[in-house]
Amino acid sequence: MSIQTQPGRVTAPQIRARKGGEPIVSLTSYHAHTARIIDPFVDFILVGDSLGMVMHGLETTIPVTLDMMILQGHAVMRGSSHALIVVDMPFGSYEESREQAFRNAARVMKETGCGAVKLEGGERMADTIRFLTERGVPVMGHVGLTPQSIMALGSFKAQGREEKDWGPIERDARAVADAGAFAIVLEAVAEPLGARITREVAVPTIGIGASPACDGQILVLEDMLGLSERVPKFVRKFGSLADHIREAVAAYAGEVRARSFPAPENTYAMKKG
Ligand SMILES: Nc1nc(=O)c2c([nH]1)NC[C@@H]1CN(c3ccc(C(=O)N[C@@H](CCC(=O)O)C(=O)O)cc3)CN21
Ligand SMILES: CC(C)C(=O)C(=O)O
Ligand SMILES: [Mg+2]
């Protein structure tokens, strides 16, 4: 059991209180090692269901299971001590009923020790978000492009690129905020809709492919590090980790083939006598 009070860790109410203030910084992480590295620099870490695509090479996030989210959520908790940890509820784990959502969100909280969960959907999920928040589950909303709806949408594409499409997205954001979410991810929404929603809702908006006016930003860590093979248009590569890995692995392969690795300092000498 990993449940313990952790003094010093960022809480959902603290993120909520950052509305209109200093930008909220966040990234995804799926493992203890990456969580340990990013923890001092971010306000919250999202254990995103994008792990299915990024870690497992899946085409969509649809096959991701609650057990996968719990396993990686627990790893990220062990690797971090400062940031709020938010765990994505995967497709099929919360849409059926408010009761199903609570049962599975409670399992995620009990088995990982995380401080909040995130679920996709606007007006249609408002009752569920209210049910969870009234029962002690901090919920982060997620509107705009909702990747778990890929099969209904047809492709991953930006939302609200025509003014006639703005109304439903604005209503989604308002419904999620009014239902008690402590923050809302706005994914791939055209400008100036992201800025408009940020002005209209009372809780922080966290943009990914949205506006610089959002109250915070998030990216998939492997995308911004230059480790992902294909990335959405909204990504900026702040690093080139794939190149670093290729260089290191090529050097290792060369030394193994030349028998210059391992060197004497990497091997064990016999004990004296
Ligand atoms: N590695 C990774 N990073 C992500 O940000 C991410 C995932 N995976 N998986 C789940 C979703 C999918 N994401 C995406 C993917 C593509 C666009 C995009 O910009 N699409 C183009 C059109 C591409 C097409 O039609 O084929 C666009 O202009 O809208 C947006 C979000 C964001 N999410
Ligand atoms: C990209 C973020 C918002 C996400 O939901 C994920 O990584 O799964
Ligand atoms: Mg997600």
Side-chain angles (χ1 to χ4, degrees):
M1 284 290 287
S2 72
I3 301 291
Q4 49 198 275
T5 49
Q6 292 184 304
R9 206 186 263 278
V10 177
T11 64
Q14 286 170 344
I15 297 293
R16 165 70 185 79
R18 298 270 296 270
K19 178 69 187 181
E22 199 192 327
I24 298 162
V25 180
S26 62
L27 286 166
T28 62
S29 167
Y30 318 126
H31 348 76
H33 59 345
T34 52
R36 193 170 295 120
I37 295 168
I38 71 176
D39 186 52
F41 300 98
V42 299
D43 299 303
F44 74 87
I45 295 174
L46 175 70
V47 184
D49 62 347
S50 55
L51 66 80
M53 298 172 70
V54 175
M55 285 178 70
H56 296 271
L58 296 168
E59 286 297 317
T60 71
T61 57
I62 302 296
V64 174
T65 66
L66 200 64
D67 288 339
M68 289 162 80
M69 297 310 303
I70 289 171
L71 194 64
Q72 306 316 138
H74 199 176
V76 169
M77 281 297 294
R78 284 190 295 249
S80 62
S81 60
H82 154 75
L84 170 69
I85 307 304
V86 182
V87 177
D88 253 352
M89 298 297 291
F91 180 69
S93 71
Y94 63 94
E95 302 92 327
E96 189 179 322
S97 65
R98 321 182 295 180
E99 290 78 9
Q100 182 209 25
F102 182 82
R103 190 184 323 117
N104 286 328
R107 222 193 115 195
V108 169
M109 289 176 74
K110 283 172 186 281
E111 295 181 24
T112 68
C114 72
V117 300
K118 178 165 78 59
L119 51 84
E120 295 182 9
E123 281 188 300
R124 70 188 162 84
M125 292 312 303
D127 283 347
T128 295
I129 293 171
R130 185 170 294 105
F131 191 84
L132 266 53
T133 54
E134 284 176 348
R135 285 162 181 75
V137 180
V139 177
M140 179 174 286
H142 182 159
V143 306
L145 174 62
T146 49
Q148 292 174 15
S149 303
I150 176 71
M151 295 308 178
L153 292 168
S155 69
F156 295 122
K157 55 176 180 286
Q159 305 291 303
R161 297 191 70 183
E162 293 180 63
E163 216 169 315
K164 66 170 174 53
D165 302 326
W166 287 7
I169 303 171
E170 288 180 274
R171 283 198 293 279
D172 279 344
R174 253 188 251 119
V176 167
D178 292 347
F182 69 93
I184 308 175
V185 168
L186 295 184
E187 178 164 351
V189 294
E191 270 292 74
L193 180 57
R196 240 177 106 102
I197 292 173
T198 299
R199 281 196 304 274
E200 285 170 358
V201 300
V203 302
T205 58
I206 310 296
I208 173 164
S211 171
C214 287
D215 299 293
Q217 299 292 331
I218 188 165
L219 284 174
V220 170
L221 180 66
E222 285 80 350
D223 294 352
M224 60 81 79
L225 289 178
L227 189 56
S228 301
E229 199 169 36
R230 284 176 315 160
V231 298
K233 160 188 155 65
F234 54 69
V235 171
R236 179 183 294 166
K237 287 191 190 177
F238 289 85
S240 43
L241 215 52
D243 292 336
H244 286 289
I245 293 175
R246 262 188 288 273
E247 272 174 44
V249 173
Y252 166 75
E255 300 226 2
V256 169
R257 291 184 181 118
R259 298 196 191 281
S260 54
F261 178 84
E265 66 268 26
N266 310 117
T267 58
Y268 295 94
M270 293 296 288
K271 283 183 178 154
K272 284 190 176 58

